[in-house]
């Protein structure tokens, strides 16, 4: 069973389309302290490859977990 | 007899000295290389917005916002019809006849841009805006604000400003005015460059 991680902050980006989920998470990232975690809730399927690609190119961001349930995409990220 | 080029071919007593010498030489070479080409952690995206078509401008704003969100330094250069995006007002006073005519003929701000296909005198742009709104996509104005808030550098091309009779006080505050070298300076440093 996956370990439940309780994030430091939650971003409700349900209903928002590209590029808003990423832009909102970026605002959090700017002020987040190293090690802080954020749970992003999105209904945009593009957010799955987007957060993956973002974490690959941006050293500040680590993607801890992604999941999908009933059209809701959850991304758990960490400020490195 | 040619000596084998391995450490074992060197008398045991000399090995430590050779090791130290090689290490020293490598360090010296690396330091010299570093001095020649200082490590530039460039992570920039540079976009030229030439078009004043609403659909193309939206694409450029989405890309700029996305790149800035991902931690890239982003520059947008607005030239020719793209300058309309940066316009917050029209001024006729103090311009010659040609500049006044051009001021009247060129769109004033994002709100007055048409789409690249099937605009039908602005109906196409209105339809696109309605479709974006009903699909809950951020409006062009919201995307513009988003890009500015994300720290996107916005530069207006001085030459095309001259040609189209646009002056700095007609642009949003904070917009820089620059030339081709300003663009090339940023572009040369970019991993992503686009002409839209």
């Amino acid at each position: 069973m996956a370990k439940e991680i309780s994030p430091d902050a939650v971003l409700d980006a349900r209903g928002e389309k590209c590029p808003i989920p990423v832009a909102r998470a970026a605002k959090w990232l700017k002020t987040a302290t190293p090690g802080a975690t954020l749970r992003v809730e999105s209904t945009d399927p593009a957010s799955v490859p987007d957060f993956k690609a973002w974490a690959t190119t941006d050293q500040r961001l680590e993607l801890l977990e992604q999941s999908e349930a009933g059209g809701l995409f959850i991304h758990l990220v960490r400020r490195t | 007899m040619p000596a084998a080029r391995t450490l074992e071919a060197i008398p045991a007593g000399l090995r430590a000295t050779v090791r130290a010498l090689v290490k020293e030489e490598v360090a010296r070479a690396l330091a010299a290389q570093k001095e020649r080409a200082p490590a530039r952690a460039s992570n920039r995206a540079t976009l030229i917005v030439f078009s004043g078509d609403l659909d193309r401008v939206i694409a450029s704003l989405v890309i700029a916002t996305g790149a800035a969100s991902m931690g890239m330094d982003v520059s947008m250069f607005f030239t020719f019809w793209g300058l309309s995006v940066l316009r917050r007002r029209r001024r006729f006073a103090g311009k010659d006849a040609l500049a006044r005519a051009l001021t009247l003929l060129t769109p004033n701000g994002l709100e007055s841009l048409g789409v690249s296909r099937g605009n039908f005198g602005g109906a196409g742009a209105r339809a696109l805006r309605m479709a974006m709104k009903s699909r809950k996509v951020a409006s062009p104005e919201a995307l513009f604000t988003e890009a500015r808030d994300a720290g996107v550098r916005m530069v207006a091309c001085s030459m095309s400003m001259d040609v189209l009779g646009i002056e700095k006080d007609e642009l949003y505050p904070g917009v820089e005015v620059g030339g081709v070298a300003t663009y090339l300076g940023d572009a040369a440093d970019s991993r992503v460059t686009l002409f839209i």
Side-chain angles (χ1 to χ4, degrees):
Chain A
M1 200 179 82
K3 196 178 67 179
E4 266 304 309
I5 309 168
S6 65
D8 300 312
V10 177
L11 172 66
D12 180 4
R14 285 175 292 182
E16 303 281 9
K17 302 282 162 63
C18 169
I20 300 304
V22 166
R24 292 279 171 279
K27 273 185 186 150
W28 168 83
L29 189 65
K30 247 185 191 168
T31 53
T33 51
T37 52
L38 175 75
R39 176 188 152 102
V40 183
E41 303 179 353
S42 171
T43 44
D44 183 8
S47 64
V48 177
D50 273 6
F51 275 88
K52 238 178 236 162
W54 182 9
T56 316
T57 56
D58 191 344
Q59 293 193 338
R60 301 169 302 164
L61 190 82
E62 191 188 344
L63 183 60
L64 300 175
E65 210 179 285
Q66 282 185 314
S67 61
E68 194 247 319
L72 190 67
F73 303 93
I74 309 288
H75 317 285
L76 190 66
V77 295
R78 196 173 74 95
R79 166 85 160 94
T80 56
Chain B
M1 195 178 82
R5 292 171 65 90
T6 63
L7 210 55
E8 284 68 34
I10 294 165
L14 280 173
R15 278 176 208 166
T17 317
V18 170
R19 250 199 207 106
L21 276 172
V22 168
K23 243 183 205 162
E24 220 173 88
E25 203 49 51
V26 168
R28 210 197 323 270
L30 281 176
Q33 193 183 30
K34 224 177 193 172
E35 209 167 300
R36 274 199 303 273
R40 266 197 319 197
S42 101
N43 189 19
R44 186 175 275 284
T46 303
L47 283 70
I48 298 183
V49 184
F50 179 93
S51 171
D53 293 330
L54 184 63
D55 39 3
R56 290 195 168 97
V57 168
I58 290 168
S60 75
L61 291 171
V62 169
I63 295 165
T65 303
S69 297
M70 290 168 79
M72 301 177 87
D73 297 315
V74 187
S75 302
M76 293 179 93
F77 286 84
F78 294 85
T79 186
F80 285 91
W81 317 118
L83 283 173
S84 296
V85 176
L86 300 178
R87 221 173 186 176
R88 66 182 169 124
R89 68 189 183 104
R90 268 191 176 127
R91 180 167 60 73
F92 293 96
K95 291 186 182 176
D96 63 32
L98 184 60
R100 276 204 300 273
L102 285 163
T103 300
L104 187 67
L105 289 170
T106 48
N108 183 36
L110 269 172
E111 310 75 37
S112 48
L113 298 186
V115 286
S116 62
R117 303 218 168 177
N119 191 45
F120 301 113
R126 280 194 295 280
L128 176 67
R129 282 172 178 276
M130 271 169 61
M132 286 174 76
K133 198 173 175 186
S134 79
R135 308 293 194 271
K136 293 209 166 63
V137 174
S139 70
E141 290 73 21
L143 288 169
F144 184 74
T145 307
E146 202 73 50
R148 295 205 78 183
D149 288 354
V152 171
R153 181 186 192 195
M154 296 197 177
V155 185
C157 159
S158 62
M159 186 271 271
S160 47
M161 279 172 72
D162 265 357
V163 172
L164 296 175
I166 298 171
E167 290 175 25
K168 194 160 193 272
D169 62 285
E170 294 171 275
L171 306 179
Y172 284 103
V175 169
E176 297 171 56
V177 174
V180 67
T182 315
Y183 157 70
L184 287 167
D186 280 359
D189 210 27
S190 293
R191 296 180 183 190
V192 177
T193 55
L194 292 172
F195 185 96
I196 296 171

